[in-house]
Amino acid sequence: MTFDDFKLDKCADGLLPVIIQDAVTLRVLMLGYMNREAFDATVAGGKVTFYSRSRRRLWLKGETSGNYLQVVEMLPDCDADTLLIKCRPCGPTCHRGTTACFDTPESEGFVRSLAQVIAGRHAEMPENSYTTRLFIKGVKKIAQKVGEEAVETVIEAVDGNRDRFMYEASDLVYHLLVLLEQMGCDIKDIEDELLRRHS
């Protein structure tokens, strides 16, 4: 994909609109614009570079804050007049210090973030971590915890206790994420399987 593959006749000032999305949480973080130089700099450097319309110059996102956007994947839309960049943000994306420039809930995409934290615990095995202790005990103990939390979730649902149900369901999801990691699987694998069944 090159800058010439885009149809910029419909774009304001010949600039390419770029949507930035967190590659892990899938949360939309911001909208920016690129000219040819910004696009080429992004491809070459692996960090998102925009064309600043207010400053009329290239702008490496994070050049002053250190909150770079590391490129994971670049995808043109169906009309080739907008670009989606999936990235790994190195801190808050918005100048306000928030995760995103859009005021969507901070919890949006958190389950995927938690799965990444669990994968990090599995790789690093830090001391004094409950997750580390689960991995040390192995798949049987993790599976047992999933079963226990599932039963507790069902009990609270049957009793009609919404608050306790949410508490136990959260425990269930956490332990299931640990079991997925232990089994070498992740949320995308579940999504792929559910999509296969749906199709």
Side-chain angles (χ1 to χ4, degrees), residues 38-51:
F39 180 89
D40 291 344
T42 298
V43 171
K47 295 177 182 173
V48 176
T49 299
F50 294 111
Y51 176 77

Side-chain angles (χ1 to χ4, degrees), residues 1 16 62 115 145 155 161 168 173 175:
M1 174 179 46
L16 178 66
K145 286 298 294 180
I155 290 170
N161 187 338
E168 298 300 345
V173 170
H175 286 92

Side-chain angles (χ1 to χ4, degrees), residues 10-40:
K10 297 186 285 182
C11 300
D13 300 323
L15 296 174
L16 178 66
V18 180
I19 299 165
I20 302 297
Q21 182 182 37
D22 188 308
V24 173
T25 67
L26 305 183
R27 186 175 180 182
V28 174
L29 301 177
M30 68 172 292
L31 170 71
Y33 296 88
M34 288 182 177
N35 61 7
R36 180 184 302 277
E37 292 75 22
F39 180 89
D40 291 344

Side-chain angles (χ1 to χ4, degrees), residues 30 33-35 37-52 55 57-71 90 93:
M30 68 172 292
Y33 296 88
M34 288 182 177
N35 61 7
E37 292 75 22
F39 180 89
D40 291 344
T42 298
V43 171
K47 295 177 182 173
V48 176
T49 299
F50 294 111
Y51 176 77
S52 171
R55 291 175 266 184
R57 67 168 180 87
L58 293 188
W59 166 43
L60 172 62
K61 179 73 173 97
E63 63 189 3
T64 55
S65 66
N67 298 330
Y68 299 105
L69 298 171
Q70 302 281 351
V71 175
C90 300
T93 299

Side-chain angles (χ1 to χ4, degrees), residues 153-165:
T153 301
V154 169
I155 290 170
E156 298 302 342
V158 170
D159 286 350
N161 187 338
R162 186 183 186 283
D163 290 343
R164 289 297 305 167
F165 168 77

